[in-house]
Amino acid sequence: MTPSADPSAPATRHGRRLKLLAVTACPTGIAHTYMAAEKLTQAAEALGHDIKVETQGSIGAENELTDNDVSRADGIIVAADKDVDLSRFVGKRLLVVGVAEGIHHPERLIERVMAAPVHEGDGGGMGADGGGVGSRGGPGVLGPGLGAGRGTVYKALMNGVSYMIPFVVVGGLLIAVSLALGGHPRPDGGLVIPDGTFWKHVNDIGVIGFTLMVPILSGYIAYAIGDRPALVPGMIGGWIANTGALYDSKSGAGFIGAIVTGFLAGYLVLWIKRIRVPRFVRPIMPIIVIPVVATSVLGLFFIYVLGRPIAWVFEHLTGWLDGLTGASAALLGVLLGLMIAFDMGGPVNKTAFLFGAGLVSKNPEIMGMCAAAIPVPPLGQGLATLLRRGMFSEQERETGLAALFMGFFGITEGAIPFAAARPARVIPANMLGGAVAGAIAGLASVGDSVPHGGPIVAVLGAVSGVAMFFVAIGVGMVATALTTVTLMAVGRGERAGSAEGGSGAGAVAVPVARTGGAGVAAPGAADVLSGYLTARTVRLDLAAVRKEAAIRELAEVLAGTGQVRDVDALVTAALAREELGTTGLGEEIAIPHAKTDAVTAPVVGFARSAEGIEWGALDGSKARLIFMIAVPEALAGDEHLRILALLARKLLDPGFRERLLEAEGEGAVLGVLAEVR
């Protein structure tokens, strides 16, 4: 590199003009991605350096870095909250941080990049903030450089759940279909599938799906944290947790144990990655050393340290239950129902089930209580997705239908995807429904002569007191569904309310019902944001003082266009996007985004708040300029994302924000927004 030829260029700490590269990316790939890019560019210009920034947004990579760019670069900054391929930066000084750092401290990053370590490839280098580099070349999802906070933990959990769901659905449906079409009634009730038959083989395949479900959950939680080297220890750890025979337990630790092993494996791999090793060892670290060491340590730790206490607890729990057989039938039903619904196939569930199954011949009423509680979690969660569809993603709604089917056949595991995603809300709801079903079955002396549960055992004649059996299941199912949607709604309300009380001035918030707002606006006010924002969707004095109320008020403004079919669903979609991370971006900017079929066409609203609304912005400022963008899922294409990116960039201009705040009347506001190009 040569010194700057411009004598007026600001002096730099290195005495020369640096050539820097950067990559910015956020999980949703819209607002923060482009804001960080803009801030880094402005800071580099102010410090007298050259910089090229690649943005990895929802519309794909833009301004991509070439091999020639990399070869000439003095240093590279990656400001990202998702995986970015770092393999192309081997041999260069590399600083890996979260995207928020790029927005709020760009000058500091530029100063620090020249002290960052040289990236040495897979398993070798780390950013200055400690963001681990996995074998995919991306920063460790939960590494300190990306902030190992509650949001990233949630993303790791969701990664495991998303990979687990197909195994739940395939395994559960194959088991249910094989029982329904290939099962033969036994003299004492229930179903048996003859060995060697076609349906027995279908059932066996379904059992394999269920068997793999738990290690898949554990493995992909670990993968999200520690990258590819964590996949093997995570999966094997999940298998061990689910195989009680390895640590002298009659039932494994189930999906709760899988969550524990997933996080243990991920963080163990991150720790091993930070150990300095000789250069000649580094190439084999991610493919041999890390997986072998992490798998051995985690597996033995679970078998000798965690597993044996689990076995002891559940053996004594079974003995305690045995002592309750003479107690009140309703109380015993409540207890068994709570246990059945708690971990849905895990050790607590199996302890209760094995207790009931062991007494089938002596006391079928105890198995009747278990049989009534067994289908309640999947039936209740499936019903919840039907009652409040807007609260659930499309994938969850599809899973809900499968859960209803599995619940009919007594497959409690059908509720696991919901419990893994929202344990604090779903597990209590499941337990309430299970307790209600167990209590009713106990009071009515419902009997079940086979060790199985769900409506299917009544249909096939294994239940005495069939009418009350269905009443117990129905009441429990409704209790679970209503409790689930209530807790979800209350949880969202608390998050919105807890944002009150912030301080600061003039922030911009853009609640978007999952969008991307598109196309370049024409100069005329009538064509603002491709015509999606009109005088009808502008409110100059917002009455709301809280985020949730502001989103609802703007949703009602949008409803005036006739393009909103369900205001509640639109509000729910916008708030669901807020759960992924605040859309109050600070610097008078915030751009929440979502997409929802609650609207029939793209529509954008704008409002101003005189006092400002706390939006959870990182700089503590309140939102005074609020955009709300709603786009149908089918129409949320690249152009919509592009206009949102343009809006984010324009709002970085203090003069533009000031004009927007001072504009008098809808026409003047639209005239200012027409500058977005």
Side-chain angles (χ1 to χ4, degrees), residues 80-84 86 96-98 125-127 129-148 152 155 222-228 266-267 269-270 273-274:
D81 286 343
K82 68 176 186 178
D83 285 348
V84 173
L86 304 185
V96 181
V97 297
M126 291 191 185
D129 281 0
V133 179
S135 61
R136 279 180 297 168
V141 175
L142 297 184
L146 298 181
T152 47
K155 282 187 277 186
Y223 179 69
I225 299 170
D227 215 319
R228 192 173 301 162
Y267 284 115
V269 167
L270 281 186
K273 283 182 178 181
R274 293 188 174 94

Side-chain angles (χ1 to χ4, degrees), residues 387-431:
L387 292 178
R388 295 298 299 272
R389 292 179 60 81
M391 285 186 170
F392 299 90
S393 68
E394 183 63 32
Q395 184 184 45
E396 287 175 322
R397 292 195 291 268
E398 293 173 359
T399 304
L401 295 176
L404 289 170
F405 191 67
M406 284 186 270
F408 177 80
F409 287 94
I411 301 172
T412 318
E413 289 87 343
I416 287 179
F418 300 96
R422 303 180 185 87
R425 297 177 179 84
V426 171
I427 292 178
N430 287 347
M431 293 175 69

Side-chain angles (χ1 to χ4, degrees), residues 567-590:
V567 171
D568 287 342
L570 174 55
V571 172
T572 298
L575 292 176
R577 170 56 189 88
E578 293 291 329
E579 289 187 4
L580 300 178
T582 179
T583 56
L585 305 182
E587 296 280 350
E588 298 191 344
I589 302 171

Side-chain angles (χ1 to χ4, degrees), residues 289-369:
V289 178
I290 294 176
V292 170
V293 172
T295 301
S296 302
V297 170
L298 176 63
L300 294 172
F301 177 76
F302 201 93
I303 290 172
Y304 287 104
V305 179
L306 294 181
R308 294 186 184 279
I310 289 174
W312 183 89
V313 167
F314 291 111
E315 284 173 6
H316 285 75
L317 184 58
T318 301
W320 179 64
L321 282 175
D322 189 50
L324 288 178
T325 54
S328 164
L331 177 60
L332 184 57
V334 167
L335 183 58
L336 291 172
L338 289 172
M339 295 176 66
I340 288 288
F342 172 65
D343 56 356
M344 295 148 284
V348 177
N349 170 287
K350 283 193 169 58
T351 297
F353 176 79
L354 292 173
F355 174 71
L359 295 173
V360 162
S361 59
K362 298 178 182 178
N363 194 343
E365 285 77 16
I366 294 178
M367 191 62 219
M369 302 173 200

